[in-house]
């Protein structure tokens, strides 16, 4: 199945081990040497309405992605 990068953005990411919602895809990292997707990035949650920064971003390697659905991405976390 073929997806555009824009379609993957803002999809909900769920851990298949415990069903927890990790967040939403904020960005995607590309491996330009090999021409492959390297990982998806979930931006950290804002602190104090963004005035106090935000938590660290979560980077999920492409190999950890199990299923890409229409609205959700299931990952082995």
């Amino acid at each position: 199945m073929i997806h555009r990068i824009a379609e993957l953005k803002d999809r909900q990411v769920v851990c298949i081990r415990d069903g927890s919602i990790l967040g939403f895809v904020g960005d995607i990292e590309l491996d330009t040497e090999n021409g492959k997707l390297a990982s998806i990035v979930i931006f950290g949650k804002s602190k104090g309405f963004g005035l106090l920064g935000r938590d660290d971003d979560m980077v999920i390697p492409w190999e950890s992605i199990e299923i890409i659905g229409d609205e959700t991405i299931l990952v082995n976390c």
Side-chain angles (χ1 to χ4, degrees), residues 13-16 22 40 60 64-66 73-77:
V13 181
V14 177
C15 177
I16 61 172
L22 302 177
I40 58 174
I60 300 172
S64 297
I65 296 174
E66 296 293 328
I73 299 175
L74 302 179
V75 298
N76 189 1
C77 53

Side-chain angles (χ1 to χ4, degrees), residues 17-75:
R17 289 188 182 176
D18 60 5
S20 62
I21 298 171
L22 302 177
F24 295 87
V25 176
D27 203 355
I28 294 175
E29 294 180 342
L30 300 171
D31 179 354
T32 56
E33 288 183 21
N34 298 316
K36 296 183 178 182
L37 292 172
S39 58
I40 58 174
V41 179
I42 300 170
F43 294 139
K45 295 181 182 176
S46 296
K47 297 178 184 177
F49 300 106
L51 299 173
L52 303 174
R54 64 179 192 194
D55 293 334
D56 293 335
D57 295 343
M58 184 182 308
V59 179
I60 300 172
W62 193 255
E63 297 79 29
S64 297
I65 296 174
E66 296 293 328
I67 297 173
I68 298 177
D70 292 335
E71 297 178 11
T72 306
I73 299 175
L74 302 179
V75 298

